[in-house]
Amino acid sequence: MSTPKILILGAGYGGLMTAVRLQKQLNYNEAEITLVNKHDYHYFTTWLHEPAAGTKDPDQCRVEIVDLLDTSKVKFVKGTVTEIKREEKNVLLQSGESLSYDYLVIGLGSEPETFGIQGLKEHAFSIRSINSVREIREHIEYCFAKYKMEKRPELLTFIVGGAGFTGIEFVGELSDRVPELCKEFDVDPSVVKIYNIEAAPTVLPGFDPELVNYAMEVLSRKGVTFKISTPIKECTPEGVVLADGEEIKSTTVVWTGGVRGNAIIENAGFETMRGRVKVDPYLRAPGHEDVFIVGDGALIINEETDRPYPPTAQIAIQQGENLAQNLTALIRGGELKAFVPALKGTVASLGKGEAIGLVGDKKIFGSTAALMKKVIDNRSLYMLGGLSLVLKKVKL
């Protein structure tokens, strides 16, 4: 028999963890493993709100993929996936290269979900890659510099659409950065406005109300103005128009209001909901025992709440661990193990030294939660790259 080919698309948390675990579990001659990624680095998506606000160097949020791989066991291909051909069992890259597979792992990440809001794609920034956060940071600094010459209020009015985890964490970092920028550019802090706009009746929808209230109090003290139950109707070059007719002028709109699975999955003919595939207990696409989906493209229903689990890094890493174990079992003739998320806790940063979290049934606030956030981040580093990666990127 020929050596089975495992093709992994995307080096996000789910795809990279699958590759890292497979290289430990399989012997050299048991499978041909190929990892394809658009960039030659993996970036920590859960950290991106920091460089976007300018409180962290973007390069600190990434690691070279080959530094995490045993290249004698896993071949890395830098390329952009353009099409998945299910029937032919191959994948096309932008370069024209075609890669065949016996087992396919799709971990292609997400795209911003605009919910049909006019102008968002054209006029809003999004926190989704190293390059996108560099652009946001540089744009913010440019706005401060330009305000010194033009004194237009919209230059220092910052709108963040969406008050989920990314939106809340970003406004926390941005509110910390504002005093530094005001000092650097000799700007009166009172002219800077930060709006966080959310269509739902609360920030952090679905999160514990006591923790939500704490978060809003902390961020309000830092200068964030919340507009809740107020959907954005339109985004324009001049700012946003809200559903109630109010217009807020701003040269900076950052959209964090949701994501959907990568369009390549939908275009391949898989049945999707907002670009995500409702996978079976073993993370397979229905009707395809050779196609597995991890990360943002996988839809898993929490039977206790009858709602989907959020597509978090924590769950994606666990999916990668489970999938590596199951691919090893398939190759060796063993039994598959169903994937069951084991939620260790959820923590949201509110800026320097402040956070909220739920660890088990215990609510944590302030510096305790901020410390737990660092512990969680460092644990993820350890799982992906061991002690050496922790020492390189450790959050102190």
Side-chain angles (χ1 to χ4, degrees):
M1 291 178 63
S2 61
T3 306
K5 295 180 179 180
I6 300 173
L7 180 59
I8 304 169
L9 306 181
Y13 289 104
L16 185 59
M17 179 55 78
T18 303
V20 166
R21 286 303 167 101
L22 279 174
Q23 71 186 8
K24 293 179 180 178
Q25 294 173 13
L26 290 175
N27 297 320
Y28 290 95
N29 59 350
E30 287 188 281
E32 292 180 21
I33 308 168
T34 302
L35 174 64
V36 180
N37 196 61
K38 182 178 181 179
H39 305 290
D40 50 17
Y41 56 84
H42 163 85
Y43 55 85
F44 312 118
T45 54
T46 56
W47 298 12
L48 289 181
H49 58 281
E50 296 176 69
T55 56
K56 181 184 281 290
D57 185 335
D59 288 335
Q60 188 65 16
C61 299
R62 71 180 197 176
V63 59
E64 299 298 310
I65 291 170
V66 293
D67 289 348
L68 304 180
L69 297 181
D70 178 348
T71 52
S72 65
K73 286 186 174 182
V74 180
K75 178 184 177 183
F76 173 64
V77 175
K78 182 181 177 182
T80 301
V81 176
T82 56
E83 187 178 357
I84 298 170
K85 294 194 168 186
R86 297 180 304 162
E87 301 306 320
E88 293 89 339
K89 297 185 71 162
N90 65 39
V91 171
L92 299 182
L93 305 185
Q94 198 172 57
S95 63
E97 187 177 358
S98 176
L99 301 172
S100 62
Y101 63 83
D102 294 299
Y103 299 107
L104 180 66
V105 178
I106 303 174
L108 289 171
S110 63
E111 299 173 356
E113 173 61 272
T114 63
F115 301 103
I117 299 170
Q118 187 176 339
L120 271 183
K121 282 185 178 178
E122 295 80 8
H123 306 302
F125 295 96
S126 63
I127 299 173
R128 57 190 306 263
S129 68
I130 293 290
N131 289 333
S132 74
V133 298
R134 275 203 181 102
E135 184 182 18
I136 294 169
R137 183 196 65 185
E138 290 170 5
H139 173 80
I140 290 170
E141 291 172 356
Y142 172 75
C143 287
F144 272 84
K146 200 170 185 182
Y147 181 82
K148 283 298 293 179
M149 297 179 287
E150 300 184 9
K151 295 292 190 293
R152 290 188 292 124
E154 60 266 33
L155 285 166
L156 295 186
T157 299
F158 302 99
I159 295 173
V160 180
F165 272 71
T166 303
I168 288 296
E169 292 192 320
F170 176 60
V171 295
E173 293 297 320
L174 182 58
S175 59
D176 282 348
R177 182 87 198 286
V178 163
E180 297 175 14
L181 290 168
C182 287
K183 186 175 181 180
E184 181 179 349
F185 292 96
D186 193 23
V187 168
D188 180 354
S190 68
V191 302
V192 181
K193 308 295 181 189
I194 302 174
Y195 291 96
N196 191 198
I197 301 173
E198 172 58 51
T202 176
V203 308
L204 298 170
F207 212 52
D208 180 86
E210 186 182 359
L211 295 172
V212 169
N213 289 337
Y214 181 88
M216 291 183 72
E217 288 172 9
V218 168
L219 295 174
S220 295
R221 286 199 304 269
K222 289 185 174 189
V224 178
T225 299
F226 291 98
K227 287 187 172 291
I228 309 302
S229 299
T230 313
I232 293 174
K233 180 182 177 183
E234 183 182 359
C235 182
T236 73
E238 288 75 43
V240 297
V241 180
L242 305 183
D244 60 7
E246 181 184 0
E247 294 185 39
I248 305 176
K249 291 191 177 296
S250 170
T251 56
T252 310
V253 179
V254 180
W255 177 247
T256 68
V259 296
R260 59 182 289 116
N262 193 299
I264 289 170
I265 299 175
E266 204 164 4
N267 294 340
F270 295 104
E271 185 178 340
T272 64
M273 289 181 278
R274 285 178 57 187
R276 303 172 69 194
V277 176
K278 188 177 179 181
V279 293
D280 75 5
Y282 309 106
L283 303 175
R284 297 178 297 199
H288 296 81
E289 294 193 351
D290 57 350
V291 178
F292 300 82
I293 303 175
V294 294
D296 293 323
L299 180 66
I300 301 172
I301 302 297
N302 182 340
E303 293 181 0
E304 291 182 9
T305 63
D306 199 32
R307 292 178 57 83
Y309 284 101
T312 62
Q314 179 184 173
I315 288 179
I317 287 172
Q318 292 177 15
Q319 288 172 336
E321 289 184 294
N322 171 267
L323 181 49
Q325 183 178 336
N326 280 344
L327 286 168
T328 300
L330 282 170
I331 288 167
R332 293 177 177 170
E335 292 187 9
L336 301 186
K337 180 182 177 183
F339 174 68
V340 180
L343 301 182
K344 308 293 185 185
T346 307
V347 182
S349 169
L350 306 175
K352 188 173 183 178
E354 281 284 2
I356 54 170
L358 198 59
V359 179
D361 294 329
K362 186 178 180 183
K363 301 172 191 177
I364 53 176
F365 305 82
S367 57
T368 302
L371 178 62
M372 180 57 68
K373 174 77 171 173
K374 291 175 182 177
V375 169
I376 291 169
D377 287 342
N378 291 335
R379 183 174 182 273
S380 297
L381 291 176
Y382 183 81
M383 293 176 74
L384 285 169
L387 185 60
S388 62
L389 183 60
V390 175
L391 293 175
K392 281 181 187 177
K393 305 291 183 180
V394 64
K395 280 197 164 188
L396 299 172

